[in-house]
Amino acid sequence: MKLLKRLASAGKRRLVGAAPEAPLWDHLDACGIPFRTPMADLISQYGSYPIGWSEALDTCMPQGHAQFIAGLAHQPTFQFSRDTDLLVPANYFFCAVQESADHRLNYAKAIHALVGLFGKGEPSSTSNTVAREWRFGHARLSCTVWPPERQDKGRNSRHDMFPETITEASITFTPAWRPPLSAEERAYCETAQPLDLGAHQSAAYGPVGPLTRDWPGDLASLPLGPAFAQDDAALLCATAPGLVDIVPRSWITAIALDRITGGRGGMEALVKLKFARSGQTHLPESWITLAYAHGDPHALDAQAEQLATRLGLEIKLYEGPSD
């Protein structure tokens, strides 16, 4: 009982000026869940095993000092494939309550514990689920059940393979952890100059990911969209107020120009920066969309040439319809 009270207190604690994600981060720390540790280090320490329901995925279960909530079937776990960048922390964990053959009891037990830690949350049910979600800044936590009467037969391969999961209350969380800026990254931020790609510039980037850092509070804010650090040492993308993705120049591999000549979205043009995640060229490249135009496949030819010349890179061209 004392342990549960301590964990509840840790989860509710919110210091003045702390990140909005602090209630979740504090509880993970109190449980000993290593959400800041690179996946490769956790796999080396705890091992891994096939996930079972997907041949492409393996899973790793770090052993925390305390359960995330009481009654879990296993500790919070992350999954990965051969194409995963293992040099960064996991940003998605899952665990489950499977004590009862009645999904309603498992859900009630999980929700009771989570509400005690984090408050009521918000309903997030869909046509085939009953679910509740908690948001902490950019971090997310959810609890979901799949009532058997709402399911189409064969809809969920995991349920077919592991019948005990049919009635589980599945708990997932995305910590959205951002490492502190290194001295080098701080210098990138201090010298960042916005990149002007004209009216077609894109500021539509993804959520918090392995590239994301908190923008220094003592610097003037960076406009949403891309920027280059001094001497083009890194590309920075302001993805949301207070957040920036940072790609060192040494990771950048190409400028991609997509001329979409038809398909579901009609004619489009996209300019993307391609890079090797964590500088690992053996992994599939990732990309950031820098500019977008609708209606003319050639609308961004000049912008692509400009960037390729500036960075001394080739243009990887795709021309054809969208899928």
Side-chain angles (χ1 to χ4, degrees):
M1 182 61 69
K2 289 183 178 179
L3 175 61
L4 290 177
K5 289 182 178 179
R6 179 173 64 84
L7 294 180
S9 176
K12 293 177 179 177
R13 187 171 62 251
R14 173 92 181 267
L15 299 178
V16 175
E21 297 84 2
L24 180 60
W25 291 349
D26 286 351
H27 183 64
L28 296 176
D29 283 334
C31 295
I33 298 170
F35 65 99
R36 301 179 182 86
T37 305
M39 286 180 276
D41 294 346
L42 297 178
I43 293 166
S44 176
Q45 182 175 357
Y46 299 109
S48 63
Y49 55 90
I51 203 164
W53 54 271
S54 173
E55 294 181 357
L57 294 173
D58 288 342
T59 189
C60 175
M61 185 187 303
Q63 300 299 310
H65 301 297
Q67 287 196 343
F68 185 71
I69 63 170
L72 292 180
H74 58 78
Q75 290 278 42
T77 300
F78 66 88
Q79 61 193 34
F80 61 95
S81 74
R82 64 182 180 181
D83 293 334
T84 300
D85 179 2
L86 298 178
L87 299 184
V88 300
N91 197 31
Y92 179 84
F93 291 82
F94 62 93
C95 50
V97 174
Q98 295 176 346
E99 289 186 341
S100 173
D102 188 329
H103 70 278
R104 294 168 298 183
L105 296 179
N106 290 328
Y107 188 68
K109 182 178 182 66
I111 293 297
H112 177 76
L114 293 171
V115 167
L117 288 166
F118 303 115
K120 291 183 178 180
E122 297 292 336
S124 57
S125 304
T126 64
S127 61
N128 70 320
T129 68
V130 174
R132 185 164 288 270
E133 181 183 56
W134 291 258
R135 299 189 176 198
F136 314 89
H138 298 281
R140 298 289 185 269
L141 165 69
S142 67
C143 181
T144 305
V145 288
W146 288 262
E149 66 274 12
R150 295 193 184 188
Q151 310 309 307
D152 294 334
K153 184 173 177 56
R155 185 169 183 169
N156 192 315
S157 60
R158 181 168 175 260
H159 291 173
D160 293 340
M161 187 172 292
F162 303 106
E164 71 275 12
T165 68
I166 293 174
T167 58
E168 74 180 5
S170 175
I171 299 166
T172 65
F173 56 87
T174 303
W177 167 248
R178 285 94 64 192
L181 287 169
S182 67
E184 188 174 41
E185 290 169 338
R186 168 77 192 198
Y188 295 154
C189 295
E190 290 175 346
T191 61
Q193 294 295 321
L195 177 63
D196 183 8
L197 292 175
H200 301 303
Q201 183 164 305
S202 174
Y205 303 109
V208 169
L211 299 172
T212 309
R213 303 292 184 267
D214 289 321
W215 181 258
D218 61 327
L219 298 182
S221 60
L222 192 66
L224 292 181
F228 274 115
Q230 186 175 17
D231 299 324
D232 296 342
L235 179 97
L236 297 84
C237 285
T239 60
L243 296 181
V244 62
D245 285 357
I246 300 177
V247 187
R249 172 63 183 85
S250 60
W251 296 6
I252 300 173
T253 58
I255 299 298
L257 174 60
D258 293 353
R259 296 176 182 151
I260 309 301
T261 57
R264 289 178 297 176
M267 292 189 293
E268 301 171 324
L270 297 97
V271 171
K272 299 183 286 190
L273 178 141
K274 290 206 166 188
F275 63 94
R277 289 171 289 160
S278 297
Q280 300 171 93
T281 56
H282 66 280
L283 295 178
E285 291 174 306
S286 191
W287 69 87
I288 293 173
T289 299
L290 302 179
Y292 167 81
H294 181 74
D296 180 2
H298 293 275
L300 299 177
D301 288 3
Q303 287 88 338
E305 289 285 355
Q306 170 193 341
L307 284 170
T309 299
R310 177 172 180 171
L311 296 174
L313 294 170
E314 66 172 323
I315 295 177
K316 291 188 176 181
L317 176 65
Y318 169 78
E319 189 164 14
S322 62
D323 294 337

